[in-house]
Amino acid sequence: MKRIVLCPNMSRDEGLAVTRRVRAMLEDAGCQVVISPIYGEVTDLPTAELPEALEGADLLVTLGGDGTILHLAPLVKASSVPMVGVNLGHKGFLTELDRDTVEKLLDAAAGRYVIVPRMMLDVRILRNGEEVFSDTAINEALISGIVQNVRLTALGDGERILTFSGDGIIICSPTGSTAYSMSAGGPLVEPQAENLILTPICAHMLAARSFVLSPERVVTVRPQELEDKRCILSCDGRGMIDLRDGDAVVVRRSDHKLFFADLGTKSFYETAFEKLGERE
């Protein structure tokens, strides 16, 4: 019997209508279904905490949007359970299905998919040589000024890449290349690639462009001359950590990966053109 974990975002799945439909469909197909909700509590269905739910699981299904997957990524990074997303939100770059195609989950439950690993990023803040914060991201680490622009220096393995004043800088994975980095002028990179992408945001320097770096590179970003300016770090949009002059934000490829169950419904190119505009 296949064990399937459903992670619904209750703010996206009103009344858990889609979750209930998927649960019934999978149980009718002979699967054991475990519900582990995020962003809320379920009172009328049996649920389990995520670590318990993932024990012996064959598949993890998210029901929400890209934000749901971004929230779950660091929580499941130590697990090799493949994930498939059902989009109940907006863009849905990381999700493969929507509420009208959930029947495809029967194929996933039967194992008819290809596992696609996605690179993740380990992010740390060093302050006076001490680690004061760490996180793991699937999309990006954002270093940004609040209201005012800030002066930043980005280094690769200790060698200066660029110094500039601007709104901030994004260090993203290939998966994150279709998110904030793209909006700031960065390149689209196939999600199966393993690169670090640096994208300055509204830089006051003509030569400040995106850099695509090798996966072995260790990127360090240092805010400078902050004085009374506020500069923050945000990983995949999960809160804001205030930075100080002299802090070092260190980003590298993580040893962990996020595993997606690819059902073959759309290629990366089809998804990009569908979400970003029609192909000419």
Side-chain angles (χ1 to χ4, degrees):
M1 179 183 294
K2 293 293 181 71
R3 180 179 172 91
I4 313 295
V5 179
L6 304 184
C7 286
N9 181 340
M10 296 180 65
S11 68
R12 296 292 186 189
D13 187 11
E14 187 174 353
L16 293 181
V18 180
T19 299
R20 296 175 197 276
R21 174 183 164 199
V22 169
R23 176 181 182 238
M25 178 183 71
L26 292 173
E27 287 183 341
D28 286 346
C31 298
Q32 177 192 12
V33 179
V34 182
I35 298 175
S36 185
I38 62 172
Y39 303 132
E41 295 183 2
V42 178
T43 58
D44 61 337
L45 290 173
T47 63
E49 296 293 326
L50 192 59
E52 175 190 347
L54 286 174
E55 291 181 8
D58 298 287
L59 187 70
L60 172 65
V61 179
T62 68
L63 299 108
D66 286 349
T68 306
I69 294 176
L70 296 181
H71 175 83
L72 282 174
L75 304 179
V76 302
K77 66 181 183 181
S79 170
S80 59
V81 178
M83 174 189 298
V84 61
V86 177
N87 183 34
L88 306 178
H90 301 295
K91 285 292 185 185
F93 259 104
L94 299 179
T95 58
E96 186 169 358
L97 305 176
D98 57 36
R99 65 181 73 237
D100 296 323
T101 57
V102 292
E103 289 76 13
K104 283 284 186 180
L105 289 173
L106 294 174
D107 290 335
R112 291 191 287 271
Y113 57 79
V114 176
I115 294 178
V116 178
R118 298 282 188 101
M119 170 181 159
M120 301 184 78
L121 304 173
D122 284 338
V123 185
R124 300 186 299 152
I125 299 175
L126 301 182
R127 181 171 295 157
N128 299 321
E130 300 278 336
E131 182 181 296
V132 296
F133 173 83
S134 66
D135 200 354
T136 302
I138 182 66
N139 259 8
E140 72 223 355
L142 165 68
I143 296 98
S144 174
I146 300 296
V147 181
Q148 297 170 299
N149 62 35
V150 289
R151 187 164 180 81
L152 302 170
T153 291
L155 306 101
D157 292 345
E159 182 177 351
R160 186 166 71 97
I161 300 174
L162 75 166
T163 298
F164 69 98
S165 293
D167 286 358
I169 192 168
I170 303 156
I171 305 101
C172 75
S173 69
T175 296
S177 72
T178 57
Y180 194 178
S181 175
M182 183 207 70
S183 298
L188 297 187
V189 182
E190 287 186 317
Q192 288 89 340
E194 297 208 354
N195 297 96
L196 293 167
I197 301 104
L198 269 67
T199 304
I201 308 169
C202 298
H204 292 185
M205 186 173 72
L206 289 175
R209 294 288 183 267
S210 281
F211 285 79
V212 179
L213 307 179
S214 76
E216 291 78 22
R217 201 70 63 223
V218 177
V219 174
T220 301
V221 176
R222 296 183 181 274
Q224 299 169 291
E225 305 169 14
L226 289 180
E227 298 177 352
D228 61 346
K229 295 179 180 180
R230 188 181 178 199
C231 183
I232 59 95
L233 165 70
S234 180
C235 297
D236 282 350
R238 292 188 300 270
M240 299 186 295
I241 307 298
D242 281 285
L243 299 173
R244 301 177 186 173
D245 266 320
D247 282 355
V249 179
V250 181
V251 183
R252 67 177 72 215
R253 176 178 59 175
S254 177
D255 291 335
H256 297 290
K257 293 183 184 294
L258 198 62
F259 297 93
F260 282 80
D262 185 352
L263 299 172
T265 59
K266 296 174 186 174
S267 70
F268 167 69
Y269 312 108
E270 289 173 314
T271 300
F273 281 106
E274 176 184 305
K275 304 298 182 182
L276 301 176
E278 294 297 326
R279 189 191 298 267
E280 294 292 336

